[in-house]
Amino acid sequence: MMGPEEILLAEPRGFCAGVDRAIEIVERALAKFGRPIYVRHEIVHNTFVVDDLKSKGAIFIEDLADVPPGATLVFSAHGVSKAVQREADARGFHVFDATCPLVTKVHVEVAKLAKEGYEFIMIGHKGHPEVEGTMGQLDHGIHLVEDVADVANVHPAQTEKLAVVTQTTLSTDDAAEITAAVKRRFPTIRQPKQQDICYATQNRQDAVKLMTQVVDVLIVVGSPTSSNSNRLAELSRKLGVPAYMVDNPSELRAEWLEGKQRVGLTAGASAPEVLVQDVVARVKALGAVSVRKMDGIQETVKFPLPKGLKL
Ligand code: 2E6
Ligand code: F3S
């Protein structure tokens, strides 16, 4: 059976501005305050990133009860609920908030409209920390729908003031379909001026769409917990191209590439480029001779660091 001949790299792929910033916050906190630095939840959903920061002195916890008094604490890029924020304040931790500014934007919108009397339909994945954080901006009046079927089962207290919000890393196609169902049930519902799905999610999914027209198989570098990475593999499969996720290059299996000439390679927004390059080396070792970058848009988004960590 023939092995791979060509590798096509998706553009854009890998780190987004929110992930860059979140990792930088932990690194700078370590440099400025010394180890340990406590981080609530994986700073981003990537095993390599988390292990690297652990080796530098970060301690990852889920429960604030595991943070000693007086410690420095970083909130992950996915954001936190008001309850978590309050608890951290009450315990007097020195907090740095690595919530992606595009997640914070959704939190701010929810808080603002809630003051005006709005209730919300949130489209997202139950149990995901971003969904917990966004829903936890309010103590009531925010109703989660995960799919079109859920839309029939939400029961807001009133329908005059309703707004829709979403998780930032959804499948753009699924979100459009669910939003359409929400609008059919609540025709006057208010939508955000600009969608909540972030630029990085949109761009990585657009790149995979283009790529599936020319590749025989897609490899996605990303951890199993990463929502945006999972959406890339899922999209490829939906478009008829087999896709596999690898958390690290050793997970790549030769049989996935048997009989596949062109191998597409992309990475979720939390997956480091070193892992992509290691996968390239492995696919080359299996026979690929050329590596080509797809054309794609160049991302220039950059977010400032929080006060107290700037150089
Ligand atoms: C924060 C918000 C959105 O699982 P998900 O895709 O949300 O998270 P990561 O850590 O894989 O990606 C970055 C991110 C952080 N996305
Ligand atoms: Fe932010 Fe989107 Fe990245 S919400 S952390 S820019 S995937």
Side-chain angles (χ1 to χ4, degrees):
M1 188 75 87
M2 224 166 41
E5 289 173 14
E6 187 177 31
I7 303 167
L8 286 172
L9 293 170
E11 280 296 320
R13 64 174 181 281
F15 278 12
C16 60
V19 165
D20 260 339
R21 173 179 179 269
I23 296 170
E24 183 85 17
I25 287 173
V26 179
E27 289 191 330
R28 287 200 185 204
L30 281 162
K32 192 161 175 179
F33 305 105
R35 51 171 72 199
I37 295 293
Y38 286 79
V39 184
R40 185 191 176 276
H41 193 71
E42 293 195 334
I43 185 73
V44 297
H45 289 146
N46 187 269
T47 312
F48 182 94
V49 169
V50 167
D51 287 348
D52 179 55
L53 291 173
K54 273 185 193 164
S55 76
K56 294 173 178 167
I59 297 177
F60 292 87
I61 50 94
E62 295 296 328
D63 189 343
L64 298 195
D66 297 329
V67 183
T72 298
L73 172 67
V74 178
F75 293 148
S76 83
H78 316 94
V80 297
S81 65
K82 285 281 178 217
V84 170
Q85 230 164 4
R86 276 196 296 266
E87 188 183 347
D89 287 347
R91 289 175 181 251
F93 302 134
H94 185 196
V95 173
F96 290 101
D97 188 358
T99 304
C100 176
L102 298 180
V103 173
T104 303
K105 187 179 138 217
V106 179
H107 292 186
V108 168
E109 183 77 357
V110 164
K112 192 187 103 197
L113 291 177
K115 268 198 190 133
E116 296 174 26
Y118 276 83
E119 271 182 76
F120 300 86
I121 307 295
M122 171 153 200
I123 306 173
H125 302 289
K126 195 177 179 150
H128 189 283
E130 181 186 333
V131 170
E132 286 176 356
T134 299
M135 294 189 68
Q137 295 305 299
L138 303 180
D139 46 25
H140 64 276
I142 183 156
H143 311 271
L144 182 65
V145 299
E146 293 196 90
D147 51 33
V148 169
D150 282 350
V151 176
N153 299 320
V154 278
H155 300 287
Q158 47 79 37
T159 56
E160 294 82 65
K161 285 190 166 184
L162 267 187
V164 63
V165 290
T166 83
Q167 193 176 339
T168 56
T169 53
L170 301 179
S171 147
T172 57
D173 295 338
D174 289 355
E177 198 184 317
I178 301 167
T179 304
V182 168
K183 288 192 80 172
R184 278 195 298 277
R185 170 126 193 248
F186 305 111
T188 61
I189 196 162
R190 174 175 175 148
Q191 280 182 273
K193 277 186 214 85
Q194 218 210 321
Q195 64 163 2
D196 296 327
I197 293 176
C198 74
Y199 80 95
T201 297
Q202 176 77 255
N203 291 346
R204 280 152 194 68
Q205 287 178 21
D206 288 348
V208 163
K209 270 189 194 169
L210 274 181
M211 190 159 230
T212 52
Q213 296 172 10
V214 292
V215 300
D216 304 309
V217 61
L218 178 73
I219 306 298
V220 180
V221 181
S223 292
T225 45
S226 169
S227 167
N228 79 85
S229 306
N230 276 288
R231 301 292 81 76
L232 298 177
E234 179 187 86
L235 175 60
S236 180
R237 289 178 202 127
K238 228 179 256 174
L239 296 172
V241 174
Y244 303 94
M245 276 180 63
V246 293
D247 198 6
N248 65 68
S250 71
E251 289 181 0
L252 186 82
R253 303 244 294 268
E255 60 261 36
W256 297 341
L257 310 185
E258 270 170 23
K260 313 286 187 198
Q261 277 185 22
R262 285 177 152 179
V263 178
L265 184 52
T266 188
S270 47
E273 180 66 15
V274 285
L275 299 182
V276 174
Q277 291 310 321
D278 287 352
V279 172
V280 167
R282 285 196 149 238
V283 179
K284 276 186 169 170
L286 291 168
V289 284
S290 74
V291 183
R292 191 154 61 86
K293 258 193 199 177
M294 296 278 294
D295 282 335
I297 67 158
Q298 211 140 355
E299 293 177 339
T300 53
V301 180
K302 211 172 164 357
F303 297 128
L305 290 166
K307 280 191 224 92
L309 288 176
K310 286 183 190 148
L311 283 177

